[in-house]
Amino acid sequence: GAVVSQHPSRVICKSGTSVKIECRSLDFQATTMFWYRQFPKQSLMLMATSNEGSKATYEQGVEKDKFLINHASLTLSTLTVTSAHPEDSSFYICSARVGGGGYNEQFFGPGTRLTVL
Amino acid sequence: AQKVTQAQTEISVVEKEDVTLDCVYETRDTTYYLFWYKQPPSGELVFLIRRNSFDEQNEISGRYSWNFQKSTSSFNFTITASQVVDSAVYFCALSEANFGNEKLTFGTGTRLTIIP
């Protein structure tokens, strides 16, 4: 099956620093990648949809200047949390889409747990 | 707007019992996909099933079975003869089938605990 990796798996940083999270599709090309955020004991909330070579589409309420998304290639998307604060501490999960037409097959990465001190 | 409701926040059953996780959805689309995912303590989402809105046949996969009832907008998930390894959070999700707009809407999840 299709494999999606995320790096790092866990990161702890000081308040005010920026953190970059990578999402890679290892054995397929992903024209679309999605970024989700999951707070403890809560559901996954879509943050943005990232299409290769174009600007990401952010969901309502998600600050695009706070969460910078770059999808520079068909196998890599990055999420940068700029000037992170404790309230940004969360589990960030990416997914990569396979398939065309109306067929929606998303493969999820293992997630990145961000803790901001 | 799409919405997925998992009314059961937490369920605990004794090992070997059967358990059903409920999922009710709302959508204006005539074509859509429904999913179930398992999230063990490690956090990684495990895909369990995808169902097209036109396919109302129930499905069985080992100890897992799914009951899709379009008339009641429900897509329930049953685990028979539960095992401790089934302990996890289970998410039901909904997606439109339109190319380019296939974002997943997740329910709030049901935390299932299997008691040995």
Side-chain angles (χ1 to χ4, degrees):
Chain A
V3 179
V4 176
S5 70
Q6 279 185 244
H7 179 78
S9 58
R10 186 182 297 267
V11 57
I12 301 173
C13 68
K14 293 182 178 180
S15 183
T17 60
S18 294
V19 176
K20 179 184 286 188
I21 302 170
E22 293 186 348
C23 177
R24 292 182 184 274
S25 55
L26 298 184
D27 50 2
F28 66 96
Q29 292 185 330
T31 55
T32 304
M33 290 184 173
F34 302 87
W35 286 96
Y36 297 83
R37 179 169 56 184
Q38 184 182 28
F39 291 109
K41 296 190 176 183
Q42 294 189 24
S43 186
L44 283 77
M45 300 299 295
L46 180 67
M47 299 175 66
T49 302
S50 168
N51 291 297
E52 187 267 339
S54 62
K55 291 183 178 180
T57 301
Y58 290 81
E59 294 299 299
Q60 191 173 9
V62 178
E63 301 175 57
K64 61 181 180 181
D65 295 330
K66 171 77 172 177
F67 300 98
L68 300 178
I69 293 173
N70 186 300
H71 193 161
S73 75
L74 286 172
T75 59
L76 173 64
S77 176
T78 60
L79 168 67
T80 301
V81 183
T82 62
S83 187
H85 288 92
E87 57 265 30
D88 298 323
S89 298
S90 185
F91 192 53
Y92 292 87
I93 306 174
C94 73
S95 70
R97 180 183 169 276
V98 175
Y103 186 76
N104 180 21
E105 186 72 74
Q106 289 186 34
F107 292 91
F108 285 84
T112 297
R113 193 166 301 281
L114 170 64
T115 302
V116 185
L117 302 177
Chain B
Q2 298 178 325
K3 184 178 180 182
V4 177
T5 301
Q6 294 179 256
Q8 305 151 307
T9 305
E10 297 189 24
I11 299 176
S12 294
V13 299
V14 177
E15 194 174 19
K16 297 184 181 178
E17 288 185 353
D18 299 347
V19 58
T20 295
L21 308 182
D22 298 333
C23 174
V24 174
Y25 62 91
E26 295 177 27
T27 180
R28 295 180 180 176
D29 299 314
T30 56
T31 304
Y32 49 89
Y33 290 94
L34 294 164
F35 302 78
W36 274 96
Y37 290 91
K38 174 182 180 180
Q39 187 177 43
S42 63
E44 185 166 359
L45 281 178
V46 178
F47 169 82
L48 296 178
I49 190 172
R50 178 188 68 250
R51 174 64 67 201
N52 183 298
S53 55
F54 291 118
D55 183 1
E56 290 194 65
Q57 283 190 339
N58 292 328
E59 182 159 340
I60 298 175
S61 177
R63 296 184 296 107
Y64 296 168
S65 62
W66 291 269
N67 184 350
F68 179 28
Q69 296 282 344
K70 206 168 181 178
S71 59
T72 57
S73 297
S74 65
F75 186 44
N76 297 337
F77 172 32
T78 298
I79 302 173
T80 59
S82 60
Q83 301 176 2
V84 173
V85 293
D86 296 327
S87 296
V89 180
Y90 290 85
F91 291 98
C92 180
L94 169 69
S95 172
E96 297 177 6
N98 298 321
F99 178 71
N101 190 20
E102 299 140 320
K103 57 185 181 182
L104 285 167
T105 299
F106 285 85
T108 50
T110 297
R111 183 175 300 275
L112 176 63
T113 301
I114 308 300
I115 304 167

